Amino acid sequence: MVETTYRGARTTVRTKYGRTDEFTIGVLCTKGLPWELLFADDLVVVADSEEELQRRWMRWQIGMESKGLKVNTKKTEVMASSRWGVEVNIKDKDNARLRQVQEFKYLGMTLDARERSQAAIRARVAAAWNKWRELSGVISDKKMPRKLKVKLYSTIIRPVLLYGPEVGTMGKEEERILEATEMKMFRRIKGVTLREMERSTDIRRELGVSDINEKVKEISMRWYGYVKRREEGHPAKVAMESIVPGRRPRGRPKKRWRDNVKEDMSHFGVRPEEALERKIWRRKTRAADPARRDQRP
């Protein structure tokens, strides 16, 4: 998606000697799976083993510095994706060990070493409350019409809260966090408290907004349809259709992204082949707001 956004974009750089000639802005994605992704000044190197990661990292560092690009190793971090908390030892060309982290943010998404989604959800909740505080002068003003407050929430705050769920997994706990956050905001907009025992469905119906977890399903289906319609060999489609080798552990395995998609398809009553028709897919997977739903003939 990032690669598509910048396709065909061109720019110049202003220096003390004047502006450079125009050049193309590109996102470089190489090696297939696992990828090496170069976006602006951010580089992500993914490997299946510690040895392979060390080799690839050294090749990039030496290669870039040979062209005059200095790599800031203090800002370079390593994360090992494993449910058991594996420790790795990756070093730079000067034999300095790179810092290992359990989570980090990349392109607005918080990634967790143990493949948990709660870190990403809680980061989005914190960002949404920051946006709420920026708009508190309007939302907390009793003279402002409620309709305007709901509009501000739907167009400014909710998109922050819903950034990136289409590429992650959503379990019951993640759904609970999102719903609790949204209902707290709705009660503030309406001016009621939990003690007044108003049902969440009644509050949403009165404000004319749908359940946030319904919107998550809609966004997930929209993204699935978009990738499904892409040409064969597109990086996003390759990732979506790839199968991770190996056997899953015993017991109740963690929910995968494809499991979420299957559940959401069942929820909307759609089939994968219907995603190839964009208009039909969008219509069938839309989570309409109660106000709009009530206006249907």
Side-chain angles (χ1 to χ4, degrees):
M1 184 169 63
V2 174
E3 188 176 27
T4 304
T5 301
Y6 285 87
R7 184 171 295 164
R10 298 180 65 83
T11 190
T12 63
V13 175
R14 185 170 57 192
T15 71
K16 63 181 180 180
Y17 304 107
R19 288 188 176 273
T20 66
D21 295 334
E22 277 195 354
F23 59 90
T24 302
I25 301 175
V27 178
L28 179 61
C29 185
T30 66
K31 295 292 183 183
L33 288 174
W35 287 327
E36 294 175 357
L37 177 63
L38 180 61
F39 172 63
D41 61 344
D42 286 330
L43 170 66
V44 174
V45 180
V46 184
D48 291 326
S49 66
E50 182 177 347
E51 294 75 17
E52 177 65 13
L53 181 61
Q54 178 69 68
R55 188 187 67 81
R56 288 191 178 190
W57 155 243
M58 289 290 287
R59 180 173 59 83
W60 270 100
Q61 184 184 20
I62 295 173
M64 288 190 289
E65 292 189 356
S66 69
K67 304 296 183 181
L69 299 175
K70 184 175 177 58
V71 179
N72 190 338
T73 54
K74 292 183 179 180
K75 292 184 178 179
T76 304
E77 299 173 338
V78 179
M79 188 178 79
S81 180
S82 170
R83 63 188 303 177
W84 296 286
V86 176
E87 183 176 348
V88 295
N89 184 17
I90 305 298
K91 298 181 179 180
D92 65 6
K93 65 181 183 63
D94 298 320
N95 207 37
R97 183 176 179 178
L98 302 182
R99 185 165 68 98
Q100 183 175 351
V101 297
Q102 295 303 307
E103 63 181 50
F104 70 93
K105 184 177 290 187
Y106 183 69
L107 298 181
M109 285 292 294
T110 300
L111 307 178
D112 187 273
R114 300 201 178 188
E115 306 166 6
R116 296 170 296 191
S117 300
Q118 288 187 25
I121 295 298
R122 294 190 185 281
R124 300 321 308 163
V125 167
W129 279 116
N130 286 336
K131 188 61 65 176
W132 174 280
R133 284 187 282 272
E134 291 177 10
L135 300 171
S136 60
V138 176
I139 293 183
S140 301
D141 190 342
K142 295 182 179 180
K143 297 181 181 180
M144 289 293 175
R146 182 186 296 172
K147 187 176 181 180
L148 174 60
K149 296 179 180 181
V150 174
K151 187 72 173 179
L152 287 175
Y153 170 80
S154 300
T155 58
I156 300 178
I157 299 174
R158 182 184 255 187
V160 176
L161 194 58
L162 291 179
Y163 180 84
E166 65 271 28
V167 295
T169 56
M170 290 288 295
K172 295 298 182 182
E173 181 61 20
E174 288 78 19
E175 291 179 353
R176 185 197 65 78
I177 293 172
L178 284 180
E179 183 176 10
T181 301
E182 183 171 73
M183 289 312 304
K184 188 173 183 178
M185 292 180 176
F186 284 166
R187 288 188 176 91
R188 291 190 181 186
I189 289 175
K190 189 181 177 185
V192 297
T193 64
L194 285 171
R195 293 181 179 180
E196 296 176 57
M197 303 293 288
E198 288 200 35
R199 297 177 59 187
S200 299
T201 52
D202 294 336
I203 294 176
R204 284 195 292 265
R205 185 179 299 109
E206 184 175 344
L207 297 181
V209 290
S210 61
D211 187 335
I212 191 169
N213 289 310
E214 287 288 309
K215 299 300 288 187
V216 170
K217 290 180 173 60
E218 176 187 343
I219 293 171
S220 177
M221 291 291 92
R222 185 186 306 166
W223 170 247
Y224 174 82
Y226 171 77
V227 177
K228 188 75 173 178
R229 293 188 295 271
R230 295 304 306 235
E231 65 276 9
E232 295 298 326
H234 188 275
K237 193 167 187 177
V238 172
M240 184 178 77
E241 296 178 347
S242 64
I243 302 296
V244 178
R247 299 177 60 183
R248 306 190 75 189
R250 291 183 177 181
R252 186 176 182 180
K254 288 187 177 182
K255 181 181 287 187
R256 301 167 297 185
W257 181 83
R258 65 179 70 248
D259 297 328
N260 259 138
V261 169
K262 187 175 180 180
E263 291 177 1
D264 293 344
M265 284 186 185
S266 176
H267 175 79
F268 287 110
V270 294
R271 302 184 307 274
E273 56 269 23
E274 293 181 275
L276 299 177
E277 296 293 336
R278 181 177 179 275
K279 291 184 178 179
I280 296 176
W281 184 256
R282 293 288 291 270
R283 175 172 53 82
K284 288 189 174 183
T285 59
R286 185 182 179 193
D289 292 328
R292 294 178 180 176
R293 190 182 298 119
D294 294 341
Q295 292 173 4
R296 293 178 180 178

